[in-house]
Structure formats: C-alpha cells, structure tokens
Amino acid sequence: MRRGRRGNFKTRLFIGAAIVIFALVRNWSQREENPYTGRVQAISLSPDQEIAIGLQSAPQMAQQHGGLHPRNDYQALIDNVGNKLVQSSIAKKTPYKYEFHLLADNKTINAFALPGGQIFITYALFSKLENEDQLAGVLGHEIGHVLGKHSNERITDSQKWKTIVMGAGAIDMGQIAQQYGHGQLLQNGRDDELESDKLGVHFMIEAGYNPEEMIGVMQILKAAAGPNRIPEFQSTHPDPENRIEKIREAIRKYKKAS
Ligand SMILES: [Zn+2]
C-alpha cells in the first residue's frame, strides 16, 4: 500500500516540529543567571561536573602540547600571578579549583581553559610576553572563560543544535539547520572571547595590574598571526581591532568603579 506523499510529509513535519520544540523547551528550562557575570545562559553541567571534566581532560591536553615545561621558576611566576588574580577577585568566591600550567610547546601561541579551572599557557605565548601585566591579562582572560561557564554553555548549545538538526532532518532541512547552528556557535564563541577580555580587564584592575597591557597582549597575538597564520588563541576570536576597542571600553568602565 502506498501512502500519499502529502500525508507522509505531514507526519514528518509533525515529528520534526515535536523534536525541535523539545530541544527549545529543554534549552529554555536550562537557562539560569550566572552568579558571577549576571548573564543568563543555558547550561547543563553542575560545577562539580565541570571540575571533573577539566581534571579528566587536563593530562591529555598537556600531552598534546609536549607536556609541562620543566622550568620551575617560570611555573612559579605563573602560579603567583594566577593566584593573585583569583584571590583579589570574584573568582575566589566560585567553587572552581584554579590551576595554572605552563606547557612545553614552543611553537603554538596559545592559552586555554578547561571547565572547572584548569588553565594552560604554552611556552610559545609565555616567551612572547613583555611583562607580568601581560601575563595577568592572558590568565585573567582564561579565568573569565571558567567563571563565565563558557564550555558548559557551548556543550549545552551543541546538544540543542544536534537535536534541532535531527528534527529539521525529518523534512530534509537538516543541512540548513546545521549551517545555521554552526554560525550561531561561532558567533557565541566570539561573544565568549569578548566577555573573557572584559572579565580579564576587571580582574587585572582588582589585582593591581595595568589593564592597558591587555591591549599589548592583543598586539602580540596580532603580530604573531602574520599575514596568513592565525594562532589558535585567535582562531575563533573576533577581529583584534574590535577586541581592542571593547577592552578600552572595559578599562574605562572598571577604572571608574574601582
Ligand atoms: Zn579566549
């Protein structure tokens, strides 16, 4: 027996719509205000889960970058600056366990944070920094990713889009949904960077560092990119000029408040 094409389409449309609505309702129910940034975001992991994921992935991340750097004095400086930023800011009031690691990698200019507080900087980036304030800028930015719960939010986002793509697939619109979702994730990734820059500037001021040096960090990243090569730290990042402009805004805002 052959079913009419229209009836078939109606059924698929109904199923597809139900799946998309499920994804949106679930995402809506996951929304909550971040107590440290005040921003409402959809998240699906508890702080304990974030910390566990970070601790679990940390050894592998280190291994991908040649392991930890052997110089204890450099590592001590990084610990010192990182802890100063945490102790003098709202980061101290979070349940996260902040740990700062210098990676041996001397080729990849990069710094990154895992959920829950594991923070890394490669020697390639560390060796380009001109002063302690710039190091504070990099680490402050990464602390911003942690308490901004950005990984948590992106994991939750991609779950949402996976389900939406499945639902849209019922009426052969999966690919369009996927492209749209990908664009959204990239845009949100850029917003994360801007929020982390802003938080980083705030932490720098609170810890007594010169926030202008965050601009110095941007210039180092820009110069390191060269005409064709984009360092990983920047690959999902917004245009550096736009970032610098927002950093200047944040400096004006937080300097006035302090
Ligand atoms: Zn970042």
Side-chain angles (χ1 to χ4, degrees):
M1 205 165 66
R2 219 171 135 251
R3 292 181 63 188
R5 198 165 157 68
R6 264 184 76 187
N8 194 8
F9 180 78
K10 263 189 189 166
T11 310
R12 288 188 287 138
L13 181 63
F14 178 77
I15 293 168
I19 294 171
V20 170
I21 288 166
F22 167 75
L24 295 175
V25 169
R26 182 181 56 183
N27 192 259
W28 184 257
S29 73
Q30 288 165 331
R31 283 164 67 90
E32 55 180 82
E33 189 184 309
N34 184 311
Y36 318 115
T37 64
R39 187 167 61 83
V40 175
Q41 57 190 168
I43 52 169
S44 50
L45 303 168
S46 70
D48 282 348
Q49 286 172 314
E50 291 181 284
I51 292 166
I53 289 173
L55 286 172
Q56 209 182 352
S57 335
Q60 200 194 335
M61 289 309 250
Q63 215 181 14
Q64 280 173 17
H65 290 276
L68 298 177
H69 197 280
R71 284 284 296 261
N72 290 331
D73 52 341
Y74 294 161
Q75 178 59 53
L77 172 65
I78 290 168
D79 285 335
N80 190 21
V81 173
N83 291 331
K84 203 160 142 189
L85 290 163
V86 170
Q87 291 306 318
S88 50
S89 71
I90 196 166
K92 192 185 165 187
K93 298 193 175 78
T94 67
Y96 301 122
K97 314 224 178 311
Y98 298 92
E99 273 179 1
F100 305 90
H101 311 279
L102 177 62
L103 298 169
D105 190 337
N106 57 9
K107 294 197 173 64
T108 324
I109 292 178
N110 206 2
F112 53 92
L114 295 174
Q118 298 296 311
I119 289 169
F120 301 84
I121 177 170
T122 62
Y123 182 73
L125 175 55
F126 178 77
S127 62
K128 289 240 182 306
L129 301 175
E130 293 151 352
N131 50 54
E132 203 179 306
D133 302 80
Q134 291 183 350
L135 178 59
V138 172
L139 299 179
H141 172 99
E142 298 306 329
I143 295 169
H145 279 306
V146 174
L147 64 75
K149 300 178 188 268
H150 294 157
S151 296
N152 195 342
E153 202 179 352
R154 285 325 127 226
I155 289 167
T156 311
D157 254 8
S158 60
Q159 281 166 348
K160 176 183 82 177
W161 283 106
K162 246 188 226 163
T163 314
I164 288 176
V165 166
M166 204 205 305
I171 52 163
D172 304 323
M173 299 270 280
Q175 215 174 349
I176 293 169
Q178 192 162 24
Q179 279 166 5
Y180 184 74
H182 187 69
Q184 290 289 303
L185 288 173
L186 273 183
Q187 178 56 50
N188 293 339
R190 285 190 284 268
D191 291 344
D192 289 349
E193 297 314 324
L194 294 177
E195 184 172 77
S196 291
D197 285 345
K198 202 171 136 185
L199 290 165
V201 163
H202 195 184
F203 303 153
M204 287 173 89
I205 291 172
E206 287 180 308
Y209 289 109
N210 176 9
E212 300 283 340
E213 289 299 339
M214 186 68 106
I215 296 168
V217 173
M218 294 303 133
Q219 275 151 356
I220 287 168
L221 289 172
K222 212 169 120 183
N228 333 308
R229 234 188 102 245
I230 299 171
E232 282 175 38
F233 187 64
Q234 252 186 319
S235 57
T236 58
H237 286 196
D239 169 47
E241 288 309 321
N242 183 28
R243 272 180 97 177
I244 289 173
E245 199 182 301
K246 300 272 187 210
I247 289 167
R248 290 215 167 94
E249 266 172 41
I251 293 172
R252 280 195 296 271
K253 181 180 164 187
Y254 293 119
K255 260 196 171 162
K256 225 183 273 171
S258 69

